[in-house]
Amino acid sequence: MASTQASEKPMSEKQRLRLEKFANKKEKQAQQAQQQQPNGVSKEKKSMKQDVPAVESKDWVEETPAGQKKILKPLDDDFHNAYLPKVVESAWYSFWEDQGLFEPRTERNGSLKPKGKYVIAIPPPNVTGKLHIGHALALSLEDTLIRWHRMRQFSTLYIPGCDHAGIATQAVVEKQLARHPKNGKSKRQDFSRSEFVQLCQDWKEDYHREINKTTRRLGVSVDWSREAFTMNPQLSKAVTETFVQLHSEGLIYRANRLVHWSCRLSTALSTLEVDQKELEGTTKLNVPGYDKKIEFGTLTYFKYPIDGSEQTIEVATTRPETMLGDTGIAVHPQDDRYKDFVGKTAQHPIIPDRKLRIIADEYVEREFGTGAVKLTPAHDHNDFNLGKKHNLPFINILNEDGTLNSNAGHYAGEKRFNARYGVIEELKKLGLYTKQEPNKMVVPICSRSGDVIEPLMKPQWWMRMEPLTKPATDVVESGELVIRPELQKRQYLQWMRNLQDWCLSRQLWWGHQIPAYYIIIEGEDGGDDANDDYWVCGRTEREAQEKAAKKFPGKKVTLKRDEDVLDTWFSSALWPFSTLGWPDKTSDLENYFPNTTMETGWDILPFWVSRMIMFSLKLTGKVPFTEVFCHGLIRDSDGRKMSKSLGNVVDPIDILDGISLDGLHQKLLEGNLAQNEVKNAEKYQKKAFPQGIPEVGADALRFSLVNYTQASGSDINFDVKTMHGYRRFCNKIYQATKYVLGKLGDDFVPLKSSALTGKESLPEKWILTKMNTAAKQINQALEEREFARSTQISYRYLYDELFNIYIENSKSIISDGTPEEARSAMDTLYTTLESGLRLISPFMPFLTEELWQRLPRRPGENTSSITIAEYPEYELSFDDPRSETTYELVLGCSKGIRSLIADYAVKDKGVAHIAPLNQMSHDTASAQLCAIKSLSGKTPVDISILKAGEVSPTGCAVFPVSADANVYLEVKDRIQDAGKEAEKVKAKLDEVRKEQDDIDLLKAELSKVQDQDVTEAMQLAESRKRDVEARMRAFEETVTMFEKMMV
C-alpha cells in the first residue's frame, strides 16, 4: 500500500547553510550573554582570576628525561601560577611516543577492536619547505578525529609522511643554486644527474626534519613507526608496479601531443601548476628572461594573401608570433563572407614555401574577430583538435628554452616574445598589418616560475582516463564513498565527466624515473620516439630486456631508459594503499585498508582525490577511503589567498611561540623572495601584525582552527587575535582546575564510578545534565563533521556552565553545607571537570594531559594517559530535564535581578518581583526563592513572587527571563525621564522583532524538509519563538507603562 505521508526530501545546501548560520548565531549570542552577565559570578574571584605570569616561557627548562612521564611541578611556583603554553606542552609528546600510544590498539590476539578501525593517511606535505598555517588546519582537524576515535576505543591509525613534490622541490633547489652557487655551479646542468638528485635529497632531509618537528609541536598523534615518503623503496616499488601494469593493459600509452610547457623550467606541467591570469585588455607583464615587460591582451589583425589571386583573408590573434607555425585557416561553413574561400589556399607571407589550406568548421565563432581563424595545430589546444580533424600539418616552431627553431624561418634563434614584435613590424612592411585592439583574455602562468606557459608538441607518456572515470563516479553516486560537503561532491562529479587523458611525463631529475625503455635495433634507423611499438616497460631492466627480445625476435636490441620522471600526482595517487605495503600483501593492508577518512582542502579534490579513487578501484578493487571531508582554505585577514610573495603565509611555530614584527621581517629576507616581493610582504606584515604575533600555544591554535571550520567547507579568514583569545580560554581551564584541585585537597579519593548517588543537589543535577548533553552533542557534531559546533559546545559547557555557574555556585555548598552536601558537591565537581577535560582532549591534547594527570584517579582506574582514556558518551541516568528546567529558571531569575540592579545602578535596597507566566514556574520560583536570592548578587533586594497570570507591576523595569517568567525591578523613584526609558525599551523591542523574523524565516525553510536531521532544529526554533514572543509582550507592556508615566 502506498504511503500517505509526504515523501522525504533531503535538505538543500541553501537550507542547510541557513540552519547552520542560525545555530551559530544562537551559540554566539548565548556565549556573549553568559560572558557579559555570568550567572552567580562573584566580583571576588581570587581563586580563578586570570593570572598574569611573573615569568616567561623562554626561561623554562624541562627536567623530565625524554620519553619518561612528565615530572609535575607544584602549581604554586612561578612557572605554574598561570597558563604558559611552553611549560604545559613540554615533555608530553615524547612520553606519548615512547609509550606507543599512537600505534593502533588491538585485541590481545591482534584483531581489531570491537568498534573496528579508524584510519587516516595524512595528506603528505611537500618537502619544499616548512609547514604553513594551512597544514596546521588540516592536521588539527585530522588529529581531532583521530584522537576522538582513539578515545572511543577504535583501532586507530594515523599514517604520517611527506611527498617528494618533484617540480616544486627541483624549482626551489634550482632557485637556491642561482642565488647561492655551490662550488661555482649555479645551474642544474652544471651537475650530473646523480649529483643534482643528491642536492635535492639534502634539501629534503633538512625540511623533512622541520616538518616532523612542527608536526610534533602541534601534538599530532601520528604513528611514526609507519612514516612514509613517496620516494622510499616500498612506495617506489608501488609506482613501478602501477606503471608497468597499466602500460601492459593499454591504459598508459606513448603519444606526441600538446602539453603545458614551462620554458623557464624546461618541463611539462600539470593543470594544477598553471595559474590562469585574467586580463581585461592590453596589459604589460613581466616575463622571466626578458628585460622589458611584454604586451598581452591585444588582438592583432593581419591579412593572408590568397594563393593565385589578388584577394586576401583577414585573421586576428593575441599571439602574433605563432603565425610562424600556422598551417591552415578556418571559417564557419554558413558564413557567406567566406564561402568562396573554402578549399583555397593562402600563401604564408614570411615562410615562402608554406601554403595554408582554408577549411570550413562549425567550431568557428563567426562573431569573434573577423570570423576567420588562423590555425597553429602544434601550439594551440583548440587548433590541435581542428588540425587532427582536418588532417593539417603540425609544425613546431619552438625550442624547449623558448627560442624559435628553424621552422620559424629567419626568426630561428629569436626569443619567442621578441619575435612577436618582429612579426608585427614585418607584416606592416608587407602591407598586411591591419590594426590592433584591446581584448579580454586569459594568460596561462607557471605557478612555480612566473613564466608564460606555451602549448608544445612533445612525445610523452599519457594515461587514458575515460575507462577509469565511471567506477570512480559510481562509488560516489551510490554513497559507498561519501564526499562532504555536498557542494564538493557535485564539483567532483562534474570534474569526472570532463576528464582528458593525463600527461604523466615530466622533464625533471628529481622524482620517479619512468620505468620505460626505448628499443634501439642494431642496423636499423632509429624508430619514432612517439611510437609505442618501440618502447617496453619493466619492473627491472632485465624484465624490460626480455620484453624487447620477445617483441623483436632474432634482432640485436639495446635499451635506453626514458630520462623523464613521472608527474608527482602519480605516486600521490597511490598513497592510501602504498603506505600500507601495496603491492605486497601485508597485514597492514589487510587490516587497515581501505582508509576511513581523507581530510583535505577542496582545491585538490579533482587533482589528487579523484586520482586516488580511480587508482584504488583499478589496482585494489576497493575504494581508497569511505569518506572525504573538504575543509575551506585559510585566507589572510583581507580575504586573500595566502602566498609567500604577499607575505601573508604564516608559520605555525610563530603562532605557538610568538614572534616580533622584526622577526617576521627577518624571515622574509631568509627566503627566496625577490626584493620587490619582500617590500610588499613587509607592508602586509606591518598592517596585519603591528605588534608581531603573541605566544598562543598549540592547544589554543588547534582549538581555534577547528572552531573556524564550518561543515559547509567555506574558506577561513585568518585572525591571530581570535587565536590569542582562545589562549585566555586555556588559562581559564587551567585556573579552574587549579581551584578544583585546591578545594578537593590532597586526600580526596573519588568515588569508584560517576554513577548518581541520589544525594545530588539541584545545581549538581543541573550540571550533570549539562555535562551529559555536551557529551551527546559533541559526539554528534564530530560524527557529522560539524567541527565549529563541537568546539562551541565544548566552550559553552566548560566556560559558561561549569566554570562560570556551577563552580561559583558550588562554593557556598562546599563552605556552608553539611559534610554530606559538601562531599556530594565535590564529587560532582570532580566528575564534571574530569569529564570536561576528556571531552576537550581531542582539541587540546597538551593542556588536558597536564591537568588530567594532576587529578586523582578513581579506585581501580590505572589508565596511563588521557590520550587513551574513554571518551564521554551520553548516559541516560544523568538526563534530568525537570531539574534542568527548574535550575534554568533559578539562574534566569537571579540573572535578571542582577542585570536590572546593574542597569539602574542600585546601591541601596532594591525591590524586585518575579512574575511567573504559568503555575509550574510559580511553584518552582516559590520553592527555590532562597537559591534565587543567594545568586542575585551582594546588593540587598526584597524579592516577591507574584501569582501566575497576575497583572504586571507598575513603575518597574523588566527583564524577560523566558516564556516561563519575567523579572521586574521597581524604578519609579530612580529614573529622571520616563520617555528616555521608553526609548531604551523600544530599541530592545526592535531587536526582538528582528530575531522573530529570523526565526520565522528559519521555520519556513525547515518546514519544507521532512528529515530527521531538522527535527531538533525545529524544536529549538519553536522554543526560541515562544521565548521571543514572551519577551515582546513584556517589552510592549513596559513601553506602554513608561509612556503612561510621561503623562
Side-chain angles (χ1 to χ4, degrees):
M1 179 178 177
S3 171
T4 57
Q5 296 180 348
S7 61
E8 293 192 357
K9 296 190 298 181
M11 194 189 309
S12 70
E13 184 79 0
K14 181 179 178 182
Q15 291 165 338
R16 189 191 57 69
L17 288 171
R18 192 183 295 279
L19 173 59
E20 183 180 272
K21 181 179 179 182
F22 176 79
N24 289 339
K25 181 179 179 182
K26 294 299 118 189
E27 291 282 356
K28 288 178 182 177
Q29 287 177 344
Q31 280 187 16
Q32 290 168 357
Q34 292 283 8
Q35 291 173 24
Q36 289 167 3
Q37 294 289 339
N39 292 307
V41 177
S42 160
K43 288 182 181 178
E44 298 180 10
K45 286 191 180 180
K46 293 181 181 178
S47 59
M48 287 176 56
K49 65 182 183 295
Q50 301 288 307
D51 293 320
V52 177
V55 292
E56 295 185 30
S57 291
K58 64 182 178 63
D59 299 322
W60 168 253
V61 178
E62 178 57 61
E63 297 177 6
T64 308
Q68 293 189 18
K69 189 172 182 179
K70 187 173 183 176
I71 300 169
L72 297 175
K73 299 288 186 176
L75 289 172
D76 56 359
D77 77 5
D78 286 343
F79 284 104
H80 294 82
N81 190 46
Y83 171 69
L84 288 171
K86 183 180 177 182
V87 176
V88 166
E89 294 165 17
S90 66
W92 286 121
Y93 198 94
S94 65
F95 168 70
W96 294 329
E97 197 174 339
D98 188 71
Q99 294 293 306
L101 300 182
F102 300 158
E103 297 172 13
R105 297 171 67 80
T106 59
E107 299 292 271
R108 289 185 177 180
N109 63 2
S111 63
L112 299 178
K113 289 278 189 180
K115 286 191 175 181
K117 69 181 181 190
Y118 185 79
V119 183
I120 294 179
I122 196 170
N126 293 344
V127 291
T128 46
K130 297 178 181 180
L131 298 184
H132 53 65
I133 194 66
H135 292 115
L137 168 65
L139 292 171
S140 298
L141 295 172
E142 291 157 20
D143 197 45
T144 293
L145 292 174
I146 285 289
R147 287 179 175 273
W148 177 56
H149 279 90
R150 186 184 291 121
M151 293 178 72
R152 291 169 67 212
Q153 309 309 306
F154 284 74
S155 292
T156 306
L157 175 59
Y158 191 9
I159 305 169
C162 291
D163 193 298
H164 67 280
I167 191 168
T169 301
Q170 181 160 316
V172 76
V173 171
E174 290 196 62
K175 187 180 287 188
Q176 190 75 2
L177 272 176
R179 295 187 63 178
H180 306 287
K182 191 175 182 66
N183 299 324
K185 301 175 181 179
S186 60
K187 301 193 300 293
R188 167 173 53 118
Q189 292 78 7
D190 295 337
F191 298 85
S192 68
R193 181 169 185 152
S194 60
E195 288 173 338
F196 182 79
V197 167
Q198 186 58 51
L199 289 177
C200 294
Q201 184 68 30
D202 294 342
W203 177 279
K204 174 261 178 189
E205 292 300 330
D206 290 343
Y207 282 94
H208 178 217
R209 281 192 294 271
E210 290 297 319
I211 288 168
N212 287 0
K213 180 181 176 182
T214 302
T215 302
R216 286 180 166 92
R217 288 288 310 276
L218 288 168
V220 180
S221 58
V222 293
D223 182 356
W224 291 106
S225 69
R226 289 174 166 85
E227 185 182 8
F229 175 56
T230 48
M231 282 178 63
N232 72 20
Q234 181 60 41
L235 274 70
S236 295
K237 177 181 178 180
V239 169
T240 299
E241 177 63 33
T242 301
F243 191 94
V244 173
Q245 180 180 328
L246 298 185
H247 179 261
S248 68
E249 295 180 20
L251 286 173
I252 291 178
Y253 63 95
R254 186 80 171 171
N256 190 19
R257 298 176 57 179
L258 282 180
V259 298
H260 301 297
W261 185 257
S262 170
C263 301
R264 190 70 170 177
L265 300 178
S266 294
T267 184
L269 300 177
S270 70
T271 305
L272 183 65
E273 293 154 334
V274 179
D275 298 329
Q276 303 297 331
K277 187 175 185 66
E278 295 185 8
L279 304 181
E280 290 300 312
T282 301
T283 308
K284 291 193 174 183
L285 301 177
N286 285 314
V287 179
Y290 291 83
D291 296 331
K292 62 180 182 179
K293 290 186 176 182
I294 306 301
E295 185 177 293
F296 294 88
T298 298
L299 199 59
T300 300
Y301 291 76
F302 69 92
K303 298 174 182 177
Y304 271 116
I306 301 299
D307 194 29
S309 75
E310 298 298 318
Q311 293 177 297
T312 59
I313 186 168
E314 188 178 19
V315 297
T317 180
T318 57
R319 301 162 65 208
E321 71 280 6
T322 62
M323 65 88 66
L324 298 170
D326 283 357
T327 61
I329 299 170
V331 298
H332 195 281
Q334 295 177 2
D335 193 333
D336 291 338
R337 293 174 295 176
Y338 301 114
K339 62 182 179 180
D340 294 335
F341 286 84
V342 176
K344 293 182 179 181
T345 58
Q347 173 64 50
H348 200 291
I350 296 176
I351 313 295
D353 58 349
R354 191 181 304 166
K355 309 287 186 184
L356 285 68
R357 189 151 51 89
I358 301 174
I359 61 170
D361 197 288
E362 292 182 350
Y363 170 80
V364 176
E365 295 180 25
R366 282 176 281 184
E367 295 75 22
F368 179 77
T370 66
V373 179
K374 59 182 283 299
L375 298 178
T376 321
H379 294 285
D380 183 278
H381 291 279
N382 295 322
D383 295 359
F384 178 90
N385 295 327
L386 286 177
K388 287 286 187 184
K389 181 177 178 181
H390 295 279
N391 198 28
L392 296 176
F394 283 69
I395 298 177
N396 173 33
I397 61 169
L398 200 63
N399 294 316
E400 292 183 356
D401 63 357
T403 60
L404 301 186
N405 62 27
S406 59
N407 290 328
H410 58 265
Y411 288 97
E414 287 266 10
K415 291 183 178 180
R416 66 198 191 280
F417 294 126
N418 289 343
R420 170 175 296 185
Y421 295 104
V423 165
I424 292 173
E425 288 304 312
E426 187 165 353
L427 289 171
K428 288 179 178 178
K429 291 177 182 177
L430 293 171
L432 298 173
Y433 170 87
T434 306
K435 63 178 179 178
Q436 286 185 323
E437 63 185 22
N439 179 69
K440 280 187 178 183
M441 70 175 295
V442 175
V443 180
I445 304 291
C446 172
S447 63
R448 307 292 178 190
S449 67
D451 196 9
V452 175
I453 295 299
E454 294 291 340
L456 182 68
M457 293 277 292
K458 277 194 73 66
Q460 305 275 269
W461 291 103
W462 299 80
M463 179 180 286
R464 302 184 201 281
M465 304 308 293
E466 193 275 332
L468 304 176
T469 56
K470 188 178 187 305
T473 300
D474 290 345
V475 294
V476 172
E477 290 182 330
S478 70
E480 183 180 351
L481 192 158
V482 175
I483 297 179
R484 309 188 203 193
E486 180 69 22
L487 173 63
Q488 302 307 330
K489 173 185 173 180
R490 292 198 299 269
Q491 291 192 349
Y492 167 85
L493 293 173
Q494 180 64 31
W495 168 265
M496 296 300 285
R497 292 188 184 100
N498 296 286
L499 274 190
Q500 302 295 314
D501 284 0
W502 176 14
C503 176
L504 302 177
S505 302
R506 296 292 179 270
Q507 289 64 47
L508 305 171
W509 285 354
W510 173 248
H512 294 101
Q513 191 171 353
I514 296 174
Y517 300 81
Y518 182 67
I519 303 170
I520 302 170
I521 303 173
E522 187 176 297
E524 294 187 13
D525 292 337
D528 182 2
D529 183 26
N531 188 343
D532 214 343
D533 291 340
Y534 284 87
W535 288 88
V536 288
C537 298
R539 295 164 185 84
T540 63
E541 187 169 352
R542 181 175 179 179
E543 180 184 337
Q545 192 76 45
E546 291 171 355
K547 288 184 177 180
K550 189 175 181 180
K551 186 175 255 191
F552 295 99
K555 296 188 178 183
K556 187 174 181 181
V557 299
T558 56
L559 302 182
K560 181 183 178 183
R561 186 168 182 176
D562 192 339
E563 293 187 356
D564 292 349
V565 301
L566 285 163
D567 182 3
T568 298
W569 295 109
F570 191 90
S571 54
S572 301
L574 308 174
W575 186 253
F577 46 96
S578 64
T579 51
L580 295 171
W582 188 91
D584 298 334
K585 294 181 179 179
T586 63
S587 57
D588 272 4
L589 191 65
E590 181 180 350
N591 290 329
Y592 300 112
F593 187 76
N595 300 174
T596 313
T597 300
M598 170 50 63
E599 195 288 326
T600 186
W602 57 258
D603 56 329
I604 56 174
L605 181 67
F607 305 105
W608 183 40
V609 176
S610 64
R611 287 166 176 165
M612 285 190 286
I613 296 171
M614 287 185 284
F615 270 43
S616 182
L617 290 170
K618 174 62 182 173
L619 298 168
T620 74
K622 299 177 181 179
V623 292
F625 24 72
T626 53
E627 173 200 22
V628 177
F629 178 81
C630 300
H631 64 251
L633 304 184
I634 292 192
R635 300 182 181 275
D636 68 16
S637 52
D638 294 332
R640 300 179 304 174
K641 189 173 180 179
M642 289 196 167
S643 163
K644 290 179 182 178
S645 62
L646 293 175
N648 57 6
V649 173
V650 181
D651 184 341
I653 296 297
D654 292 339
I655 301 174
L656 267 57
D657 297 339
I659 188 171
S660 66
L661 180 60
D662 286 341
L664 288 170
H665 289 348
Q666 183 59 38
K667 291 182 78 169
L668 292 174
L669 298 175
E670 294 168 1
N672 286 326
L673 296 182
Q675 191 57 42
N676 64 318
E677 292 176 327
V678 169
K679 289 182 179 179
N680 289 335
E682 285 181 346
K683 184 177 179 181
Y684 171 77
Q685 288 179 343
K686 287 177 183 177
K687 174 188 172 185
F689 313 114
Q691 307 301 320
I693 297 175
E695 180 188 23
V696 170
D699 291 310
L701 171 60
R702 287 171 57 118
F703 190 85
S704 58
L705 289 172
V706 176
N707 184 63
Y708 272 135
T709 305
Q710 302 291 341
S712 62
S714 54
D715 287 353
I716 297 163
N717 283 9
F718 170 85
D719 184 4
V720 75
K721 296 187 185 72
T722 300
M723 296 178 176
H724 194 250
Y726 283 116
R727 174 180 165 164
R728 290 191 285 272
F729 177 44
C730 290
N731 189 49
K732 184 80 170 179
I733 299 170
Y734 190 85
Q735 298 298 340
T737 305
K738 277 181 64 176
Y739 165 78
V740 171
L741 287 168
K743 280 296 179 185
L744 296 180
D746 296 336
D747 299 329
F748 178 81
V749 178
L751 297 177
K752 190 170 184 178
S753 77
S754 61
L756 296 175
T757 64
K759 301 176 183 178
E760 289 79 11
S761 64
L762 179 62
E764 291 174 69
K765 293 176 182 178
W766 175 81
I767 192 59
L768 288 168
T769 298
K770 291 297 185 184
M771 176 192 77
N772 200 36
T773 300
K776 178 182 179 181
Q777 291 179 342
I778 293 171
N779 279 303
Q780 183 182 34
L782 288 175
E783 196 70 60
E784 296 171 356
R785 308 303 185 247
E786 297 272 0
F787 290 101
R789 185 164 168 261
S790 70
T791 52
Q792 289 160 5
I793 296 163
S794 305
Y795 184 97
R796 183 182 64 205
Y797 167 66
L798 286 170
Y799 195 106
D800 300 332
E801 296 165 350
L802 179 57
F803 301 159
N804 278 355
I805 298 178
Y806 179 71
I807 286 182
E808 291 296 329
N809 296 353
S810 68
K811 290 178 179 178
S812 60
I813 303 175
I814 294 172
S815 60
D816 303 332
T818 66
E820 187 178 63
E821 290 171 338
R823 172 67 201 205
S824 181
M826 287 193 290
D827 283 331
T828 299
L829 206 54
Y830 174 86
T831 294
T832 51
L833 177 62
E834 193 272 344
S835 293
L837 292 177
R838 284 186 285 128
L839 278 172
I840 206 168
S841 182
F843 313 116
M844 296 182 168
F846 292 110
L847 178 61
T848 53
E849 185 75 272
E850 174 88 6
L851 300 177
W852 188 82
Q853 292 285 0
R854 293 177 181 274
L855 290 175
R857 297 275 85 78
R858 295 189 188 276
E861 167 60 48
N862 57 4
T863 304
S864 64
S865 167
I866 197 171
T867 301
I868 55 174
E870 292 201 13
Y871 198 77
E873 301 277 354
Y874 174 77
E875 175 57 57
L876 183 61
S877 63
F878 284 135
D879 222 9
D880 190 346
R882 185 178 180 85
S883 295
E884 182 182 21
T885 301
T886 298
Y887 201 58
E888 294 283 2
L889 185 63
V890 171
L891 295 172
C893 291
S894 59
K895 175 183 175 181
I897 294 169
R898 291 197 312 276
S899 178
L900 291 170
I901 286 174
D903 286 348
Y904 289 91
V906 177
K907 304 296 183 184
D908 55 351
K909 194 170 188 178
V911 178
H913 308 280
I914 297 174
L917 300 179
N918 53 60
Q919 191 59 42
M920 183 177 291
S921 58
H922 176 273
D923 296 344
T924 298
S926 300
Q928 299 295 327
L929 182 57
C930 290
I932 294 171
K933 286 181 177 180
S934 69
L935 298 174
S936 294
K938 291 190 173 182
T939 303
V941 58
D942 282 339
I943 305 173
S944 66
I945 299 174
L946 307 179
K947 294 179 181 179
E950 187 174 337
V951 176
S952 304
T954 59
C956 293
V958 66
F959 182 97
V961 175
S962 65
D964 293 322
N966 295 322
V967 170
Y968 294 91
L969 179 71
E970 293 185 5
V971 297
K972 184 177 181 180
D973 298 328
R974 300 179 185 276
I975 60 175
Q976 303 298 320
D977 188 337
K980 284 186 178 180
E981 296 302 317
E983 291 303 315
K984 289 180 186 177
V985 180
K986 284 179 180 178
K988 294 178 181 179
L989 190 56
D990 288 340
E991 291 177 6
V992 174
R993 284 171 177 155
K994 289 177 183 176
E995 187 174 352
Q996 185 183 44
D997 291 341
D998 288 345
I999 295 171
D1000 288 341
L1001 190 61
L1002 176 68
K1003 285 184 63 183
E1005 292 288 341
L1006 293 175
S1007 65
K1008 299 174 184 176
V1009 182
Q1010 284 76 44
D1011 193 308
Q1012 187 65 31
D1013 291 339
V1014 300
T1015 302
E1016 188 176 337
M1018 183 64 89
Q1019 291 171 349
L1020 173 65
E1022 291 285 1
S1023 175
R1024 293 290 303 169
K1025 185 174 176 63
R1026 290 192 295 271
D1027 288 345
V1028 165
E1029 289 172 344
R1031 285 162 61 196
M1032 285 180 62
R1033 288 193 294 271
F1035 285 141
E1036 287 168 349
E1037 291 173 1
T1038 304
V1039 168
T1040 302
M1041 181 269 298
F1042 278 131
E1043 288 176 341
K1044 286 180 179 178
M1045 290 173 64
M1046 294 166 57
V1047 178

